Amino acid sequence: MRKLLLFLLFMSVSLSVFSQNILVKGTVVDGKSNEPIIGANVVVQNSPTPVGTVTDLDGAFSLSAPSDATLEITYFGYKTLQIKVNGSQALVIKMFEDAELLDEVVVVGYGVQKKSVVTASIAKVSSDELDMTAPVRMDNALKGLASGVTVTSSSGQPGAASEIRIRGVGTINNSDPLYIVDGMPIEGGLDYINPNDIASIEVLKDAASGAVYGARAANGVILVTTKMGTEGKTRVSYDFSYGLQSAWRRRDVLNASEYAVLRNEGAINAGLAPIYSDPYSYGEGTDWQDEVFYDNAPVENHQLSLSGGTKNVNYLFSAGYYNQKGIVGGNYDRSQYQRLTLRSNTKYTLLDESKNRNWLNKLVVTANISYARIKSKSIAVNSTWGTPLSSALALSPILSVYDEGDAAEAQIEKYSNTTGYVPMYSEDGKLYSIPGSEYGEMTNPLANLSLPGSNNWSHKFVANFSAQLQLWDNLKFKTSYGADVSFYGYDGYNPVYYLRNGGYNTISNAYSDKADGTVWQLENVLSYDKTIGVHSFSIILGQSAKQSSGSYLYGSRNYIINYDRPYIDASSGLAENADMTVAGAPYAKSTLASLFTRVSYNYNERYMFQATVRRDGSSRFGANNHYAVFPSFSLGWNLTNEEFMKERPSWLNMAKLRLSWGKNGNENIGNFQYTVLTSTGNNALFGINETMTQGVKASGLANEDLKWEESEQTDLGFDLGLLNNALTFTVDYYKKTTNGMLMTMNIPSYVGESKPIGNVGKMENSGIEFEVVSKFNIGEANLRIGGNLSYLHNELIEYGNDSGWANLDSFQGAGTISRAQNGKPFPYFYGYKTDGIFQNESEVETYVNSDGELLQEDAVPGDVRFVDVNGDGVIDDDDRTDIGKGMPDWTFGFNFSANWKNLDLNMMFQGTIGNDIFDATRRTDISATNLPTWMLDRWTGEGTSNTIPHYVQGDSKNWQSSDLYVYDGSYLRLKNIQIGYTLPKKWTNKILISSLRFYLSAENLLTFTKYHGYDCEMSSGGTSLGIDYGVYPQARVFTIGANLKF
Amino acid sequence: MKLKYIIVGFISTLLISGCSESFLEVDSPTDETIDTYFTTEAHIQEAVVAAYEPLHWPDWAMSEYNPINIMSDIMADDIWVGGQDKTDNKNWHLMMNYESLPNYVIKGIWTDAYSGVKRCNDVIKYLGWCDNISTENENYYKAQALALKVFYYNWLWKFWGNIPYYEENLSSPFIADQISADSVYTNMINNLETVINMDAFPMKETADNYGRVTKAMVYMLYAEIVMYQKDESRYATALSYMEEIINSGQYSLASDFTGIFLESGEWGSGSIYEVIYKDDDAVRSWDNPLYPGGTILPTLISPHSWADGTDGHDQGWGFCPVRQSTYDMYEEGDTRRDATCWNAAAVGDYNHRYQDTGFFLEKYAALTGNNEDQKADAQLNWNNNLRIYRYAETLLNAAELLVRTSGSMTDASTYLNLVHHRAGLTDNVSPTIDNIIKERHLEFVGEGKRYWDLIRTDKAESTLVPDEFGYRTNTWSNSKKYLPIPQSEIDAANGTLVQNNY
């Protein structure tokens, strides 16, 4: 075949004009570093007899060729080039690395596609971009790098997961995207992936790209591809970094004197006697935040990887170790994260006869195996119920951390009769103070941190094996099996302690929980690619089966004998005294069985068409709704490949229009929601001995008609490439409607049972996304600027109940603060609108309704003036309204990288516009609580303040949920900045090091925000999106590091 | 090469992976489906037990504190609401002043009671699935389910009157017909008459079965609803039931009133029905409040920041201070005064919260030691059984029914004075309706009887009036008889529920 082709070529060439051979000389250099490329192949194309050579040590070559010949230059790992000689005899040929070639390929479900023919909306994050931010977790990595992807940091706590929303909150139900790592769905423990091992992340945003994952794609799909070795000698790299973390900001609260003054004022305003006779005698007092924050908490990271390959085997082995202490509790062994990751990715070409025959000619087997071991501890955060951080903000600065001398005796005396009291001592023997019941649930945060806490641990193995056989022509068959096996749990103990009234433990106990989970997936895919002239086809046909299962075992036992051995076997409680507890069972299995197909066609890369259909069957639905079909279609038009565009200006490389429509599903609910099972443990007590008697009831009410939640999405996109693709631009508009949202049916409680889940609600998201990348050189400097910007509009169309609304979160003392309501963003902040402060009595008296009645007859000067929103002449609960929302209108990221000679610089900014934060950190129901410093600007008389009401002890009327709690949450943050220096090769080559780079970096160095809280990256998601209950702030980290390559 | 092995390998992979329908049929590893489970007598018994469980919920479940006795007493004239201020359990404060709002009305009892109704209906349904069961036993299970169902509906009927009522559990679209309070009464009384005719219960249970439905408990329930409905046609029957209890000789008045509410007084000679709470190894918790164990009632109604152990009492949250007028209504020598009203202010320091009087309800106060053997959350594991029906009420019911049916005044006087004298008083009281109601007042403060007595004797409008402290500013009127139905229920019922004219 090949010979025949060559013969035909020869004939065609021989028929053309024979031109004269000349001696062509040239050098081949790396396009970036200008270093010579040694051993590149240079071949004269279309030559009747093979003519070729190899570049020498200086990258130079010479050969004899026709003056109009075309040279093909190939070198492993670099893009192949065709260069016209055009009579030139001294060529300088620049080659560029393959990585940029890869850039033009996009991973899609079950395959890859040339970016130029992609018709769907897919955001790609490459390993280069990930390197810029050095994330700990893959989900954190996406922050600021991809448009349409909102990443909400759950917390600054080490190892904390992020909440990812693709194109908004798609449903009231679970809105998490589907994660597919090397073809394997991962349903938990995403942090097992070392971000260093990631080659690229593709975010499938529209329905057309996600449709191949049908039932699980409604909230978008995140495809993670791990790195693979490339042919060549073994490359070894070792990366090291060490950083110091500190809170980037504290909250401003009152010092002891200010506190005493305000408490006195508050008491007097409430008609009570002042509390402190000499407020100024207390000085600065205790800075509780100082006590709680751990400055310069260390974080270290080691990465080792070996990769390489021969003709038949490619391999990559990597090991990573990461150890981070938290900035709150890290010094008390209460907040930390340690991770060991190991990975081996191997590809074997077992058979390659593709040169000899066109059937059954190639067999490639891959085996990707990874292991992660994680240990972590965490403290309670984002709550105003006595967490260390909320207590640090709430406790009076007059209180001391420890009770010493007389105070110690007084404490013991005072509490000696209190149920559960035990004195608590620090490691150096000092007695922790007890704030007392006037602080409600608040506790001495250091006493709290001195408790042992719970150890979380996990082992996770994920292995994927696949074999791909070339059947005939371009028809391939691939079978793959993947297994995700994890073992996880927690253990620890509760000593006897006393922190506060209601917060104590009188019986020590040791506990341990061990669980395991297994997910396996078997897939078979047939694929066929063919190009016939200007027609290109690609067809895949596949089958997939997946099962998840697992089990757990929990035990605990009271009365630890010695806290040095806090284990169940080293405790003395007896089962007959109910001092031992055990629980355990297999988890219910869930299964998914699917068939899918995708047909892609393009005409000369000018017109593209793609259709996908997936039929999914899920065990989560009853027999009458096991299966659902999810179709999608997309179209693309490469304007620049049109004949009439041939004469276009040279700066316009590429312009492509895309249009797609599709339906995806969501099956993210519990098992057995469609049926009724038994529920044990519904016991009752009988008899003089109060005997616990086993009772069993129905688990709930059945909804046999339960079916898939569906999201329908239309996407219109436009891609532009300018200046030889040095500037690329992408814009997408989309509209996504979720129908039949799976949620608890809003039926009356009088059914007498927990309510079933039904397909009830409807949600709509629409938005615009922009991405722009520009690469250019200035002299010897290479620069790259990338940016992305997304606008999102979210609206709950139908909540699925009669009233059309539901109250969601509440805050103690303020009432309901978030709400779901038809026609509003989900969720939104709910409360009163305010209109300044009553400055004097006459303002109260003139604040009347249309009938002349006082709107706030109980108000006094200094009180908040609430707005009669509904205009009914009274101010009551019905006047509460939309006062903000946590979801940003705009999210953006911006990155910049530059290298000049041996220096490099990377910067990544990110931010949001148009989101609000509800500051729910000050419990107004606790009179003794410390106050934020801005309370010093309170109203104290006419004209003193028109925003902050006067301070009254026990004031609940001014601090109902209102816009006084709501702040602008927009921010711009320099997430990461890194400066590196690579030692000159001439030095490092002498000691067999191919590259050695040192760098300094800073995370969260600069933040521009109007919000005064610990962090503007808000940790709450779900129904409390944007509500700050006291987040664990992200740290500002200064890091030094080195990258070493052999 | 080994091409054929490769081919065989791929073909077999394809075959294996061909999926079958059964792959999607998954069974729960821990739970059976109900239609296969509730087919044996042992499992029916478990369903019956589950029908008792909601009895213990109202004090704390569904995120609401709705102790059933306190919820009626705050609408009467013996206790204030207390707590931190008027926003602390706001729905209680609004109820106290007869200004409940559909969005601020108790809902815990509503949900608890319907959970009970649903479980009772299920028992009756499951009995149809079970073959190997004697008629006698089947009757016993069915009678318990019917009696408990009436017990639960009675809560709903008294607090809300016109309620959704169903005898068979609901299926999609999960809507029940709302019927009038009178129709609810008719249904309840029919069910009770069925139960009584089944004759499935002993007059008094054996000690191991305390807490199960008894004949005396059903009779007391019968008398309660007949008298609240003022159904004169059934007074004679109710009276005969009361006399049957009295004449059975199985119950008698405990000689010492003070001891009735101690742990040692539980299931004493005068106890007809109690809801059992315990502290021994109790693991009811904030995370799992529906699980049986102790009660939170003593925590709710004991003084705030009280030094634990002082005067034998522990601290609580300062709700439900007892009114001074209640303390004052007792004659000197009436042992019920100090057994009812604990003068905490006289014996210790505490945080005097809203509406404080110094007095707390001794009957259910947090007595030191009464939660010491619990194993979860101490605040909600007090061991005080909730007294539902006492023999004293049987006597007073009988006395009242005698008067109302022009029966033997001698007997009426005997019954009334048995109760009166047990309190340590020596004078004789003549059996008039007013005296009987007054005796009930003295006897049952804090037991959730007074408010309904005032309504059924038409004394509510004259008694439940604004007070001198400005706490209650509204006067009870007939429209206040039924609380507003919670707004969320109105909303969820898609226009099928008519709101009470509160």
Side-chain angles (χ1 to χ4, degrees), chain A residues 604-731:
Chain A
N604 208 11
E605 295 201 5
R606 193 183 301 164
Y607 308 113
M608 283 80 73
F609 167 77
Q610 184 169 299
T612 311
V613 180
R614 179 157 174 144
R615 177 176 184 261
D616 272 308
S618 167
S619 64
R620 290 202 167 120
F621 301 95
N624 47 352
N625 278 314
H626 266 331
Y627 295 99
V629 175
F630 301 98
S632 86
F633 306 95
S634 57
L635 297 169
W637 179 26
N638 264 330
L639 280 78
T640 39
N641 290 355
E642 286 285 359
E643 286 297 321
F644 65 81
M645 290 289 278
K646 272 211 157 149
E647 302 302 313
R648 67 181 185 270
S650 62
W651 49 263
L652 178 62
N653 303 95
M654 191 264 293
K656 183 169 70 167
L657 263 175
R658 292 176 280 109
L659 177 66
S660 76
W661 173 89
K663 257 186 192 176
N664 295 155
N666 185 359
E667 52 126 32
N668 233 333
I669 55 167
N671 296 310
F672 308 116
Q673 301 286 345
Y674 61 90
T675 187
V676 183
L677 301 172
T678 54
S679 166
T680 57
N682 291 277
N683 302 349
L685 300 171
F686 291 116
I688 195 78
N689 296 320
E690 300 165 335
T691 311
M692 186 68 73
T693 312
Q694 179 72 237
V696 179
K697 69 167 193 82
S699 61
L701 295 166
N703 178 8
E704 289 163 12
D705 298 328
L706 195 68
K707 61 175 199 240
W708 309 72
E709 181 173 304
E710 280 185 354
S711 97
E712 198 178 316
Q713 191 177 173
T714 308
D715 185 292
L716 180 64
F718 183 59
D719 301 321
L720 202 58
L722 304 174
L723 305 170
N724 203 16
N725 285 347
L727 181 61
T728 59
F729 176 77
T730 295
V731 58

Side-chain angles (χ1 to χ4, degrees), chain A residues 627-921:
Chain A
Y627 295 99
V629 175
F630 301 98
S632 86
F633 306 95
S634 57
L635 297 169
W637 179 26
N638 264 330
L639 280 78
T640 39
N641 290 355
E642 286 285 359
E643 286 297 321
F644 65 81
M645 290 289 278
K646 272 211 157 149
E647 302 302 313
R648 67 181 185 270
S650 62
W651 49 263
L652 178 62
N653 303 95
M654 191 264 293
K656 183 169 70 167
L657 263 175
R658 292 176 280 109
L659 177 66
S660 76
W661 173 89
K663 257 186 192 176
N664 295 155
N666 185 359
E667 52 126 32
N668 233 333
I669 55 167
N671 296 310
F672 308 116
Q673 301 286 345
Y674 61 90
T675 187
V676 183
L677 301 172
T678 54
S679 166
T680 57
N682 291 277
N683 302 349
L685 300 171
F686 291 116
I688 195 78
N689 296 320
E690 300 165 335
T691 311
M692 186 68 73
T693 312
Q694 179 72 237
V696 179
K697 69 167 193 82
S699 61
L701 295 166
N703 178 8
E704 289 163 12
D705 298 328
L706 195 68
K707 61 175 199 240
W708 309 72
E709 181 173 304
E710 280 185 354
S711 97
E712 198 178 316
Q713 191 177 173
T714 308
D715 185 292
L716 180 64
F718 183 59
D719 301 321
L720 202 58
L722 304 174
L723 305 170
N724 203 16
N725 285 347
L727 181 61
T728 59
F729 176 77
T730 295
V731 58
D732 273 277
Y733 166 80
Y734 65 90
K735 185 167 177 179
K736 178 174 168 183
T737 310
T738 305
N739 294 305
M741 272 193 303
L742 288 167
M743 54 179 287
T744 304
M745 293 172 78
N746 206 296
I747 58 172
S749 299
Y750 66 62
V751 296
E753 191 54 87
S754 50
K755 299 169 192 173
I757 285 182
N759 299 86
V760 286
K762 186 171 175 182
M763 182 97 89
E764 197 171 278
N765 286 280
S766 56
I768 300 181
E769 296 160 356
F770 305 90
E771 284 194 33
V772 63
V773 177
S774 173
K775 297 174 196 174
F776 56 95
N777 297 339
I778 300 175
E780 286 181 67
N782 300 310
L783 294 100
R784 180 186 187 279
I785 298 174
N788 64 73
L789 175 66
S790 322
Y791 172 79
L792 169 71
H793 176 77
N794 164 278
E795 190 176 321
L796 179 63
I797 304 291
E798 182 64 58
Y799 187 66
N801 65 354
D802 199 47
S803 67
W805 56 264
N807 291 335
L808 304 172
D809 282 48
S810 60
F811 179 48
Q812 189 76 10
T816 300
I817 60 175
S818 77
R819 208 181 218 224
Q821 188 172 336
N822 294 351
K824 293 277 186 187
F826 174 84
Y828 69 95
F829 301 147
Y830 186 61
Y832 292 95
K833 273 201 158 66
T834 64
D835 180 28
I837 306 293
F838 289 114
Q839 298 296 330
N840 50 49
E841 197 60 50
S842 81
E843 286 193 15
V844 176
E845 280 159 16
T846 54
Y847 192 47
V848 292
N849 63 18
S850 52
D851 297 334
E853 296 163 65
L854 288 184
L855 276 165
Q856 280 176 260
E857 57 181 339
D858 296 337
V860 296
D863 277 348
V864 173
R865 183 191 288 116
F866 293 105
V867 179
D868 180 18
V869 171
N870 64 358
D872 65 352
V874 283
I875 288 171
D876 58 14
D877 286 351
D878 296 334
D879 289 307
R880 292 175 298 171
T881 185
D882 177 356
I883 52 171
K885 65 177 171 50
M887 181 59 88
D889 293 327
W890 297 90
T891 42
F892 59 88
F894 165 75
N895 53 65
F896 171 78
S897 63
N899 59 65
W900 177 73
K901 295 190 171 164
N902 290 350
L903 280 173
D904 60 84
L905 170 70
N906 290 316
M907 278 193 282
M908 213 275 275
F909 291 89
Q910 60 168 71
T912 63
I913 299 170
N915 58 310
D916 302 301
I917 295 176
F918 193 105
D919 183 9
T921 52

Side-chain angles (χ1 to χ4, degrees), chain B residues 104-146:
Chain B
Y104 288 100
V105 67
I106 55 165
K107 198 189 165 190
I109 292 173
W110 175 278
T111 312
D112 299 340
Y114 278 110
S115 300
V117 168
K118 197 255 175 187
R119 292 175 186 201
C120 293
N121 287 337
D122 275 340
V123 169
I124 294 163
K125 179 169 81 176
Y126 301 157
L127 278 169
W129 297 346
C130 179
D131 296 330
N132 290 319
I133 188 165
S134 69
T135 312
E136 187 191 350
N137 287 356
E138 185 174 352
N139 266 347
Y140 179 52
Y141 305 135
K142 188 177 174 189
Q144 285 179 84
L146 284 173

Side-chain angles (χ1 to χ4, degrees), chain B residues 323-332 337 341 359 442:
Chain B
R323 297 190 190 193
Q324 181 74 41
S325 58
T326 301
Y327 180 84
D328 294 341
M329 78 177 171
Y330 289 100
E331 289 174 46
E332 275 306 317
R337 184 183 70 187
C341 313
F359 293 105
L442 295 164

Side-chain angles (χ1 to χ4, degrees), chain B residues 220-257:
Chain B
M220 291 300 292
L221 182 57
Y222 184 92
E224 177 185 337
I225 64 175
V226 164
M227 290 165 79
Y228 189 64
Q229 179 70 9
K230 296 189 266 187
D231 180 359
E232 293 175 5
S233 69
R234 288 187 169 88
Y235 281 171
T237 319
L239 174 60
S240 72
Y241 292 153
M242 294 301 101
E243 287 176 327
E244 201 182 326
I245 299 173
I246 295 165
N247 297 333
S248 73
Q250 303 216 31
Y251 298 95
S252 62
L253 287 179
S255 55
D256 169 25
F257 185 88

